[in-house]
Amino acid sequence: MAGFSLQDMLLKRVMEQMPVGQMLILFGTGGMIVFAILAYRRGEAIFASGILSPILALRSVCEIAGHVFFFNALALTTLSSVSAVLQATPLFVTIGAILFFKERVGLHRWVAILMGFFGVMLILRPGLEGFELASLFAVLGTLGFAGRDLGSRATPIAVSNIQLGVYGFLMLIIAGIVALSITGSVTIPDERSILHLITAILIGSLAYNFLSLAMRCGDVSVVAPFRYVRLVFAMGLGFVVFAERPDNLTLLGGTIIVASGLYTLSRSNKA
């Protein structure tokens, strides 16, 4: 989550100079190259046979939708608010885990997750002053990422995390093409934007690999609440880099979110 927050901060900087579609194509190409090199060094095929499975096809659709909507929201609103909306992902992932993987979630864990969602609502304040319509893009992106995470859990064992990374970043390229077909414009980035993009690719690749590992090896309903800590990192980066100043309700919501995630972890350790 720390890695994804750093990635988002860097890409938000990049999108100050180039459209979302172009950024996604470049970011996806860079990440795909990184994972392809890792696959080659480990003696793995870049694309496994399981890559053509229906589950991965559905995962790909979710990944494309998630990134198109999320990065448009990131370009139009603040890092803090977009990251806040993203914290609803564990709720949708947990519901999906119950429906599709028959995981059992106790009352205490449900209460903790719902309290985390309540914290998100405090930050967003839908229908009240301060709510940004563009954050709806982040909501749609959140649904896409939840589907992506559930798809990671159901991915055939024959597909390694490295191969999953290659495939995931390929979906970013497709997402960028979709977005660019709508905007229809490209720019030539300066040296600083190129440096930010390269750094984001390296950090994002590492974070992506860790997330895939966690979703495939751990209990989904336990791993999912760790997304809440992404908000803490995002708020800190938003404050330092973009001079974002969260108000008292935002800080209260963030505190509730973190507390719910930590409580969920403590309950899982006692189980």
Side-chain angles (χ1 to χ4, degrees), residues 35 159-166 208-209 212-213 216-217:
F35 276 96
V159 181
S160 72
N161 289 318
I162 299 299
Q163 292 167 327
L164 200 59
V166 174
Y208 191 98
N209 189 44
S212 296
L213 217 73
R216 298 184 73 181
C217 299

Side-chain angles (χ1 to χ4, degrees), residues 20-21 23-25 27-28 55-73 137-149 151-152 164 166-182 208:
V20 174
M23 182 279 296
L24 282 172
I25 292 173
F27 182 62
I55 287 295
L56 273 179
L58 181 59
R59 181 184 184 276
S60 299
V61 172
C62 292
E63 180 126 51
I64 291 171
H67 280 96
V68 168
F69 288 122
F70 176 76
F71 282 115
N72 270 288
F137 282 132
V139 174
L140 294 173
T142 295
L143 291 172
F145 289 144
R148 187 270 311 274
D149 288 352
S152 294
L164 200 59
V166 174
Y167 197 59
F169 277 97
L170 173 61
M171 292 306 105
L172 291 191
I173 299 174
I174 297 175
I177 294 172
V178 172
L180 202 59
S181 67
I182 298 174
Y208 191 98

Side-chain angles (χ1 to χ4, degrees), residues 201-225:
I201 288 170
L202 296 176
I203 294 176
S205 298
L206 187 63
Y208 191 98
N209 189 44
F210 284 157
L211 178 60
S212 296
L213 217 73
M215 293 304 298
R216 298 184 73 181
C217 299
D219 187 335
V220 173
S221 57
V222 175
V223 172

Side-chain angles (χ1 to χ4, degrees), residues 91-109:
L91 180 61
F92 298 118
V93 170
T94 300
I95 293 173
I98 294 171
L99 293 175
F100 301 114
F101 302 128
K102 309 303 180 183
E103 289 191 7
R104 301 178 65 180
V105 178
L107 177 61
H108 290 87
R109 198 181 296 176

